[in-house]
Amino acid sequence: MKILVDADACPVKDIIIKIAKENNLKVLMFIDESHVLKSDYAEVIQVAKGPDVADFRLVNQVEDGDIVVSSDYGLASMALAKKARVITFNGKILNEYNIDALMMQRHMVKKNVRAGKRVRGPKKRTSVDDAHFEKNFKILINS
């Protein structure tokens, strides 16, 4: 098992590394070249800037049983198809039972944006979000 992280906008990188170290797990963090990330533990994989370039590179390295950390439902869907386990930055565990509804929700939001309707952005991140992520991340690792 390894942990693959969609790291460009990931707010829980430090939590991931801390728990991975405790469990002696390999971490791959994928970023595009417009970001800078240094880690003394994780392997940082930098890719060219472009739509979904980092996502496709990540998916190409996913194997059965890996854990993917991303809040991108499209990426999550591809990782689930490869039998990975997926968790969002807020600690929501994604699976074959909830991904279709989440993909439909994403589609409807994009449709509303294209139609000029106003949509709300995500809520401000809190320490509760970090605690929820950490709890569920540990559950995924130990299951």
Side-chain angles (χ1 to χ4, degrees):
M1 175 196 329
K2 63 187 177 295
I3 301 163
L4 300 96
V5 183
D6 183 8
D8 283 340
C10 179
V12 289
K13 290 187 274 287
D14 293 338
I15 296 170
I16 293 166
I17 290 171
K18 178 187 86 162
I19 295 170
K21 279 182 180 178
E22 291 170 359
N23 291 277
N24 197 31
L25 295 171
K26 183 176 183 174
V27 178
L28 304 174
M29 295 212 177
F30 295 81
I31 61 168
D32 73 36
E33 63 191 6
S34 67
H35 294 84
V36 176
L37 177 62
K38 298 197 185 304
S39 174
D40 61 351
Y41 186 80
E43 180 181 342
V44 177
I45 299 171
Q46 196 165 33
V47 300
K49 188 174 178 174
D52 302 322
V53 174
D55 295 350
F56 290 125
R57 182 80 179 272
L58 186 155
V59 167
N60 285 333
Q61 295 196 31
V62 170
E63 297 175 333
D64 187 349
D66 287 345
I67 295 174
V68 173
V69 183
S70 178
S71 288
D72 179 326
Y73 297 148
L75 171 58
S77 181
M78 290 186 286
L80 289 169
K82 293 184 84 171
K83 301 200 181 335
R85 292 170 290 159
V86 181
I87 185 169
T88 68
F89 303 147
N90 289 336
K92 183 177 184 77
I93 296 174
L94 306 181
N95 56 44
E96 64 273 10
Y97 302 109
N98 62 12
I99 193 65
D100 288 339
L102 293 167
M103 290 290 289
M104 179 56 79
Q105 180 183 31
R106 180 181 86 157
H107 169 73
M108 295 306 294
V109 167
K110 285 185 174 189
K111 188 175 175 181
N112 285 336
V113 168
R114 282 192 302 270
K117 294 184 181 174
R118 194 172 165 185
V119 293
R120 289 187 179 162
K123 295 183 302 185
K124 186 174 172 106
R125 188 165 187 83
T126 68
S127 59
V128 172
D129 295 319
D130 289 345
H132 188 242
F133 174 84
E134 186 168 347
K135 175 181 155 265
N136 284 344
F137 188 55
K138 287 178 179 178
I139 289 170
L140 273 184
I141 287 173
N142 295 312
S143 62

